[in-house]
């Protein structure tokens, strides 16, 4: 499984922090003034695809982007500045103690089948998630951590009470689709297993009951999802009549289809196709993304073999031996930025600007390894504790392609410091199994490469390095009680400035300990034909689960 | 009686092979590192309770032998289980995948068999001629081409002429006549079926050519020539029938693999078939889908082999002796 978070989390919307945000630049929105041509069907190509239309089963980002457009959410992002803005909730406020959040929702709203859409639907959805949180709704339960109760005192008001203050309430709620109670309640009986087995797919004449700007009218698994404008939508109506999301099993077929006008736009263009598409006259958007690639060094203090890797001098030497600039230039063809922090600059103010990469310096790396006492053997490979410094690098399938080229660059650098690396490719599940072996104790693996796609809010990416993530998200064996304490503190720091300082501290702590050597942040690249405009870009592409803006604004020229 | 014995023996062997395949299918994928729960429970703030709930739901908390017995019992009742990844019945998902796969791979395979047999006969008949050289070299070249390379070349070459992805025009909303739909599916099928055909036909050409050459060297062919029979008659009446024997096995095996799909072709042309579904299922450690898919494949290959055995019995009187 790709270490990709399926959902975005939020940045607390305060002007002070938002001013520093750098995320959603590059919008091509033309607004709704002159030159807007209404109508038409936008044909989007994707190599990701919808794995399930059931929010309690789905894993893929395209599924969550689909939910964003067919279901109401309490809030959404304005991806131009990463601030929260209203969706089904028109306004909201929190109590002075931070424990009670009150949302005022759109009055007189309707689902696509004409049934009333009210705060009761929101309350039912959240309460159902809480009720079955250790079973059928477990994949959504994390978004409602510390929620004590959810009520709808009237049809247009939703009140959520927390057991303790939570720092990222809005970013969590931004990820929870509000489902039509009159459709779903029949599955929330008994142990709630029906909530996972209901496929939520449209049939001829019976579209998915939707409350967003579009209605899902047709779906053929692994091929196409077709959406039509929802006349009952409570918010701003889209310019287009509808859109289709066509799935491609491979990038080459998708790019060929785009070039031959079989589709109008694609999300996530491979870096090797950018020049071709530009030459063909397409509009290619390149902007900062959240995904980063990292070189992992086992950080478990209880590691049983090759314990020299725990030596801070060795870890620092490894970073000096990595040529990030060449990786960006050769592996990513320039469509990436060198980086060092686990919180990418694309998240805006949460990324600590003082965390910067070490320069590529082979001499310094050799000096550090000499200082550590690891002399070169007769074949040039250094000897540590009686064995050669020769290691396998676990290499998941996710990293294939650009990651292969990055590995070769790293391998060449390490050779110059007397350290031998061998690539050990395997599929993602096997890779995680090898990293966490034996039995989720992380005692045997040495090195690995992988990627993360953090969310807008730093909570998730910070969480993966906590001790409690052993056997779950952890892929480094890092466990530090001091770090865990900071993680708990940032989770309840409702003052954004105070939280920012805690988040900065955690980034510095990880940078110094080097469970990961962050290599680079990958750019977001999308492309479309010039007869379309108005796409609102984000650090998660134009078809994203952050907001309803992009496909509401898009139109023909 | 001898014939009945033969059929019963072959049928018994086929049933035993299916049982062995079912057992191997069960244990083989469980040997792979990692499992579906590890993947599906990797959600933010997943709790040990969620992981346990998924293990109970999938029955993975039970010992392997107990899971195996449950699997056999369910299978005996015709229940292939529910996909871990999509939570939908495996039989429904497989039926859908097979419905997509069979026409495309069947068209490609049958075309490959016909072209292969024909070119093989022609090559042998005109041995040493320019036609033979051309046909044999082309067959070797296509046989040697990696499927993905050939598929991608066709995709790039014909992108502006033929549909290159999926099974039908995906952006059609509203009713469509059956004829228009069939035409659309046919157009989408051309490139993937052509890829299947080109990668397979070379094998048939080479086997057929070799078999024909062997037969054409037999004494009875020499006798036929001595009797002054025209070449066409010698080939069609005397040589071809005997030369078809080795081809029968290859054809049966090839037809059996039709339900296995063509992973690379389906992947390149985004053809939503069973090969691609199996590839995804391995990736997701979706045991019920894998067991179901490979069961269908095993049964198909074994049944077609059984049919080939029966055909041999009909075609080759020596077996009866």
């Amino acid at each position: 499984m790709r270490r990709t978070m399926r959902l975005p989390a939020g940045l607390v919307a305060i002007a002070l922090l938002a001013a520093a945000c750098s995320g959603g630049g590059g919008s091509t929105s033309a607004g709704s003034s002159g030159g807007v041509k209404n109508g038409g069907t936008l044909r989007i190509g994707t190599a990701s695809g919808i794995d399930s239309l059931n929010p309690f089963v789905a894993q893929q980002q395209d599924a969550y982007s689909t939910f964003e457009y067919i279901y109401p959410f309490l809030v959404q992002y304005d991806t131009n500045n990463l601030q929260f803005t209203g969706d089904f909730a028109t306004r909201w406020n929190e109590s002075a103690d931070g424990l009670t959040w009150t949302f005022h929702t759109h009055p007189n709203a309707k689902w696509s089948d004409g049934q009333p859409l009210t705060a009761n639907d929101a309350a039912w959805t959240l309460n159902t998630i809480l009720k079955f949180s250790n079973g059928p709704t477990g994949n959504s339960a994390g978004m409602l951590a510390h929620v004590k109760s959810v009520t709808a005192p009237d049809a247009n008001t939703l009140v959520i009470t927390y057991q303790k203050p939570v720092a990222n309430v809005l970013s969590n709620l931004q990820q929870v689709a509000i489902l039509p109670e009159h459709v779903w309640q029949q599955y929330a009986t008994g142990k709630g297993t029906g909530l996972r087995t209901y496929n939520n797919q449209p049939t001829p004449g019976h579209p998915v009951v939707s409350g967003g700007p579009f209605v899902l009218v047709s779906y053929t698994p692994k091929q196409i999802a077709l959406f039509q404008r929802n006349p009952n939508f409570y918010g701003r109506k889209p310019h287009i009549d509808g859109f289709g999301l066509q799935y491609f099993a491979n990038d080459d077929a998708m790019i060929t289809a785009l070039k031959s006008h079989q589709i109008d736009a694609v999300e996530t263009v491979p870096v090797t196709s950018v020049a071709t598409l530009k030459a063909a006259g397409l509009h290619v958007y390149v902007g900062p993304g959240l995904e980063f690639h990292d070189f992992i060094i086992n950080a478990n203090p209880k590691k049983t073999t090759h314990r020299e890797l725990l030596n801070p001098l060795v870890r620092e030497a490894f970073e000096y031996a990595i040529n990030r600039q060449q990786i960006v230039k050769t592996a990513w063809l320039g469509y990436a930025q060198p980086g060092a922090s686990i919180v990418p600059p694309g998240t805006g103010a949460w990324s600590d600007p003082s965390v910067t990469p070490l320069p590529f310096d082979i001499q310094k790396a050799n000096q550090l390894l000499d200082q550590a006492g690891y002399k070169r053997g007769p074949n040039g490979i250094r000897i540590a504790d009686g064995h050669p410094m020769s290691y396998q690098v676990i290499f998941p399938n996710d990293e294939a392609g650009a990651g292969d080229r990055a590995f070769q660059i790293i391998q060449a650098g390490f050779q110059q410091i007397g350290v031998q690396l061998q690539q050990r490719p395997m599929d993602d599940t096997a890779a995680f199994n090898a990293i966490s072996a034996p039995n989720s104790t992380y005692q045997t693996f040495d090195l690995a490469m992988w990627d993360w796609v953090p969310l807008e809010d730093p909570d998730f990416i910070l969480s993966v390095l906590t001790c409690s993530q052993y056997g779950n998200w952890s892929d480094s064996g890092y466990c530090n009680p001091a770090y865990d304490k900071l993680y708990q503190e940032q989770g309840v720091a409702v003052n954004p400035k105070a939280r920012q300082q805690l988040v900065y501290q955690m980034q510095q702590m990880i940078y110094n300990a080097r469970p990961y050597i962050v290599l680079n942040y990958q750019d977001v690249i999308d492309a479309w034909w010039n007869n379309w405009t108005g796409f609102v870009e984000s650090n998660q592409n134009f078809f994203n689960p952050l907001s309803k803006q992009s496909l509401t604004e898009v139109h023909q020229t | 009686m001898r014939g009945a014995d033969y059929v019963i023996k072959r049928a018994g062997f086929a049933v035993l092979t299916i049982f062995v395949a079912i057992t191997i299918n069960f244990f083989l994928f469980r040997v792979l590192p990692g499992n579906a729960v590890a993947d599906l429970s990797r959600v933010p703030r997943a709790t040990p309770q969620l992981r346990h709930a998924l293990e109970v739901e999938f029955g993975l908390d039970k010992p392997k032998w107990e899971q195996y017995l449950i699997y056999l019992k369910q299978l005996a009742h015709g229940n292939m289980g529910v996909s871990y990844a999509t939570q939908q019945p495996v039989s429904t998902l497989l039926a859908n995948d097979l419905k997509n796969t069979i026409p495309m791979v069947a068209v490609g395979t049958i075309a490959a068999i016909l072209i292969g047999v024909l070119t093989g006969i022609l090559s042998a008949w005109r041995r040493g001629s320019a036609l033979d050289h051309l046909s044999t070299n082309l067959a070797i070249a296509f046989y040697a081409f990696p499927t993905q390379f050939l598929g991608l070349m066709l995709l790039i070459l014909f992108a502006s002429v033929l549909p290159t992805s999926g099974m039908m025009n995906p952006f059609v909303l509203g009713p469509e006549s059956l004829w228009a739909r069939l035409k659309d599916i046919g157009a989408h099928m051309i490139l993937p079926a052509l890829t299947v055909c080109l990668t397979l036909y070379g094998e048939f050409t080479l086997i057929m050519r070799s078999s024909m050459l062997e037969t054409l060297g037999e004494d009875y062919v020499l006798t036929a020539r001595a009797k002054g029979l025209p070449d066409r008659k010698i080939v069609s009446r005397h040589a071809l029938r005997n030369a078809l024997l080795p081809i029968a096995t290859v054809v049966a095996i090839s037809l059996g693999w039709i339900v296995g799909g063509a992973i690379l072709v389906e992947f390149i042309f985004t053809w939503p078939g069973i090969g691609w579904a199996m590839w995804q299922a391995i990736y997701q450690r979706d045991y019920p889908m894998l067991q179901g898919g490979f069961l269908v494949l095993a049964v198909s290959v074994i049944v077609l082999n059984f049919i080939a055995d029966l055909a041999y019995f009909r075609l080759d009187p020596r077996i009866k002796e």
Side-chain angles (χ1 to χ4, degrees):
Chain A
M1 178 180 151
R2 184 177 177 150
R3 296 193 314 165
T4 302
M5 270 306 302
R6 56 175 174 67
L7 285 172
L11 185 68
V12 177
I14 60 156
L16 181 66
L17 292 182
C21 291
S22 62
S27 162
T28 60
S29 176
S32 57
S33 53
V36 174
K37 187 174 159 189
N38 287 324
T41 300
L42 175 70
R43 301 168 301 171
I44 304 171
T46 175
S48 169
I50 298 168
D51 52 338
S52 170
L53 285 166
N54 183 324
F56 302 121
V57 176
Q59 297 265 334
Q60 297 285 345
Q61 173 156 316
D62 273 349
Y64 285 87
S65 301
T66 294
F67 300 147
E68 179 70 37
Y69 281 99
I70 65 171
Y71 287 128
F73 287 69
L74 284 173
V75 293
Q76 62 180 326
Y77 282 100
D78 178 343
T79 51
N80 287 309
N81 56 22
L82 286 184
Q83 293 194 52
F84 286 105
T85 183
D87 185 350
F88 184 45
T90 53
R91 60 196 169 86
W92 56 90
N93 54 277
E94 64 175 301
S95 62
D97 59 6
L99 294 176
T100 306
W101 287 70
T102 306
F103 295 85
H104 302 278
T105 60
H106 272 276
N108 306 319
K110 284 181 180 173
W111 293 99
S112 58
D113 61 356
Q115 294 291 313
L117 160 56
T118 69
N120 289 318
D121 289 294
W124 179 85
T125 304
L126 301 188
N127 281 318
T128 301
I129 291 171
L130 290 172
K131 185 177 174 186
F132 299 105
S133 59
N134 283 326
T137 60
N139 79 339
S140 305
M143 304 308 144
L144 301 182
H146 311 303
V147 170
K148 189 171 152 191
S149 69
V150 184
T151 57
D154 62 61
N156 305 317
T157 309
L158 181 79
V159 179
I160 305 176
T161 311
Y162 286 83
Q163 292 156 341
K164 58 181 178 180
V166 172
N168 56 347
V169 166
L170 293 179
S171 69
N172 281 340
L173 293 175
Q174 186 274 323
Q175 301 173 59
V176 182
I178 297 168
L179 302 174
E181 180 183 357
H182 65 283
V183 174
W184 284 79
Q185 63 181 347
Q186 59 184 306
Y187 305 108
T189 54
K191 290 182 178 175
T193 47
L195 289 168
R196 275 171 60 81
T197 53
Y198 175 47
N199 69 17
N200 198 28
Q201 291 179 11
T203 52
H206 296 92
V208 171
V209 175
S210 309
F214 293 95
V215 179
L216 178 60
V217 292
S218 169
Y219 172 68
T220 310
K222 294 187 275 187
Q223 289 190 73
I224 187 79
L226 291 173
F227 303 78
Q228 276 182 338
R229 187 166 44 204
N230 178 8
N232 289 348
F233 178 48
Y234 50 80
R236 187 174 165 179
K237 305 287 188 294
H239 296 297
I240 52 177
D241 292 334
F243 71 95
L245 188 67
Q246 185 179 2
Y247 177 60
F248 291 84
N250 67 87
D251 290 335
D252 295 314
M254 182 171 74
I255 296 302
T256 307
L258 179 64
K259 280 171 64 187
S260 56
H261 290 274
Q262 293 178 44
I263 49 176
D264 303 308
V266 301
E267 51 169 2
T268 312
V269 174
V271 294
T272 46
S273 299
V274 173
T276 317
L277 292 181
K278 280 184 176 169
L282 279 112
H283 178 92
V284 179
Y285 167 88
V286 180
L290 297 180
E291 182 169 5
F292 69 79
H293 297 264
D294 50 290
F295 187 80
I296 306 167
I297 311 171
N298 191 340
N300 181 5
K302 293 176 183 163
K303 180 172 164 48
T304 52
T305 55
H306 295 159
R307 288 185 58 81
E308 70 277 7
L309 292 173
L310 297 171
N311 185 335
L313 290 174
V314 172
R315 300 167 91 89
E316 191 181 350
F318 281 6
E319 184 175 353
Y320 274 115
I322 293 175
N323 190 342
R324 289 180 172 94
Q325 295 293 347
Q326 199 189 340
I327 289 173
V328 166
K329 189 179 162 197
T330 310
W332 295 100
L333 305 180
Y335 297 108
Q337 315 301 323
S341 173
I342 57 168
V343 179
T347 60
W350 296 120
S351 182
D352 182 352
S354 73
V355 178
T356 51
L358 291 178
F360 174 57
D361 189 340
I362 292 293
Q363 198 181 353
K364 178 75 179 169
N366 273 314
Q367 189 190 324
L368 288 168
L369 292 177
D370 289 342
Q371 189 186 332
Y374 304 132
K375 304 288 179 210
R376 286 181 189 259
N379 56 357
I381 307 297
R382 289 178 188 271
I383 306 293
D385 306 327
H387 59 259
M389 291 183 76
S390 175
Y391 310 106
Q392 289 197 333
V393 180
I394 294 169
F395 192 86
N397 187 50
D398 258 357
E399 289 296 285
D404 287 305
R405 298 190 287 273
F407 172 80
Q408 286 158 9
I409 292 165
I410 295 170
Q411 188 183 39
F414 277 43
Q415 200 171 5
Q416 293 181 62
I417 61 168
V419 176
Q420 194 174 43
L421 299 182
Q422 294 111 33
Q423 196 177 14
R424 189 180 163 200
M426 51 182 75
D427 80 24
D428 297 350
T429 308
F432 181 72
N433 202 60
I435 286 173
S436 58
N439 300 319
S440 302
T441 56
Y442 300 81
Q443 287 180 352
T444 52
F445 98 95
D446 293 327
L447 307 169
M449 288 174 72
W450 218 331
D451 69 318
W452 279 109
V453 184
L455 308 178
E456 320 294 317
D457 185 275
D459 185 90
F460 170 71
I461 192 63
L462 296 173
S463 80
V464 302
L465 289 145
T466 56
C467 300
S468 65
Q469 291 301 323
Y470 262 44
N472 197 34
W473 284 113
S474 173
D475 58 0
S476 64
Y478 182 77
C479 174
N480 179 352
Y483 179 87
D484 285 10
K485 187 167 173 285
L486 286 174
Y487 175 72
Q488 295 301 333
E489 285 173 17
Q490 69 81 34
V492 294
V494 287
N495 178 325
K497 256 292 187 202
R499 186 178 179 218
Q500 186 192 43
Q501 289 310 310
L502 292 166
V503 170
Y504 278 15
Q505 255 182 284
M506 295 174 78
Q507 289 169 71
Q508 285 154 13
M509 197 179 267
I510 294 302
Y511 175 72
N512 291 328
R514 292 189 179 84
Y516 300 145
I517 296 175
V518 173
L519 303 174
N520 59 272
Y521 308 113
Q522 190 181 330
D523 286 341
V524 162
I525 311 175
D526 292 335
W528 54 84
W529 282 106
N530 287 323
N531 56 328
W532 290 95
T533 189
F535 291 95
V536 183
E537 273 291 356
S538 78
N539 50 26
Q540 294 192 43
N541 305 97
F542 68 78
F543 183 58
N544 59 65
L546 298 171
S547 87
K548 296 177 165 62
Q549 285 172 301
S550 194
L551 299 189
T552 310
E553 295 287 336
V554 73
H555 57 87
Q556 296 179 83
T557 54
Chain B
M1 275 311 287
R2 188 171 285 173
D5 277 355
Y6 177 82
V7 172
I8 290 167
K9 266 187 194 167
R10 302 313 300 174
F13 185 69
V15 171
L16 182 69
T17 315
I18 287 173
F19 179 75
V20 171
I22 286 171
T23 306
I24 291 175
N25 281 350
F26 180 85
F27 289 104
L28 186 65
F29 302 113
R30 281 167 172 78
V31 173
L32 290 172
N35 64 44
V37 170
D39 274 356
L40 295 175
S41 63
R42 293 186 76 194
V43 294
R45 295 178 188 158
T47 58
Q49 288 89 335
L50 172 65
R51 183 175 286 241
H52 181 68
L54 287 172
E55 280 174 352
V56 172
E57 182 184 329
F58 300 157
L60 297 173
D61 56 329
K62 297 183 172 67
K64 292 255 188 327
W65 63 268
E66 201 178 332
Q67 292 179 42
Y68 175 62
L69 290 180
I70 293 170
Y71 169 58
L72 287 183
K73 191 177 162 191
Q74 292 298 318
L75 210 53
H77 288 85
N79 182 2
M80 289 184 175
V82 172
S83 159
Y84 292 166
T86 64
Q87 290 294 301
Q88 300 306 304
V90 168
S91 49
T92 312
L93 296 172
L94 287 178
N96 209 30
D97 291 332
L98 283 171
K99 180 170 64 77
N100 299 339
T101 281
I102 289 175
M104 185 272 284
V105 186
V107 166
T109 307
I110 292 167
I113 292 169
L114 295 176
I115 295 171
V117 168
L118 191 69
T119 49
I121 293 169
L122 285 175
S123 279
W125 191 5
R126 299 281 180 251
R127 185 185 184 185
S129 68
L131 177 73
D132 177 29
H133 289 308
L134 179 69
S135 166
T136 311
N137 286 327
L138 267 182
I140 291 170
F142 280 117
Y143 188 41
F145 261 140
T147 309
Q148 66 274 27
F149 175 76
L150 188 62
L152 274 176
M153 289 303 105
L154 289 175
L155 185 142
I156 291 165
L157 281 172
F158 294 100
S160 51
V161 189
L162 287 166
T164 51
S165 254
M167 276 184 67
M168 58 192 87
N169 181 359
F171 297 101
V172 174
L173 270 174
E176 194 186 16
S177 75
L178 181 65
W179 174 239
R181 197 176 179 79
L182 286 175
K183 253 177 42 181
D184 190 28
I185 292 174
H188 279 78
M189 197 186 284
I190 293 174
L191 289 180
L194 183 63
T195 310
V196 171
C197 172
L198 289 177
T199 48
L200 285 183
Y201 99 91
E203 183 185 6
F204 293 104
T205 304
L206 298 174
I207 293 173
M208 192 67 219
R209 179 179 180 275
S210 147
S211 179
M212 272 295 281
L213 284 177
E214 200 178 312
T215 319
L216 286 171
E218 295 285 346
D219 290 346
Y220 59 85
V221 173
L222 190 64
T223 311
R225 283 193 207 282
K227 282 165 69 180
L229 283 178
D231 252 14
R232 201 153 49 84
K233 271 193 180 169
I234 294 171
V235 169
S236 64
R237 288 197 185 168
H238 298 278
L240 180 58
R241 283 189 186 184
N242 290 306
L244 277 174
L245 265 181
I247 259 308
T249 314
V250 187
V251 167
I253 293 172
S254 299
L255 291 176
W257 277 98
I258 284 176
V259 301
I263 296 177
L264 289 171
V265 175
E266 289 176 7
F267 193 74
I268 289 164
F269 295 101
T270 315
W271 194 270
I274 195 166
W276 179 17
M278 288 301 99
W279 178 81
Q280 282 183 316
I282 290 172
Y283 208 65
Q284 297 166 324
R285 303 292 191 271
D286 193 343
Y287 301 142
M289 271 298 278
L290 288 168
Q291 286 160 189
F294 279 81
L295 173 67
V296 170
L297 178 60
V299 169
S300 160
V301 171
I302 291 164
V303 167
L304 263 296
N305 269 294
F306 178 59
I307 292 172
D309 285 342
L310 297 185
Y312 244 82
F313 187 71
R314 280 285 296 172
L315 292 172
D316 192 349
R318 286 171 297 187
I319 293 175
K320 290 177 190 166
E321 291 156 15

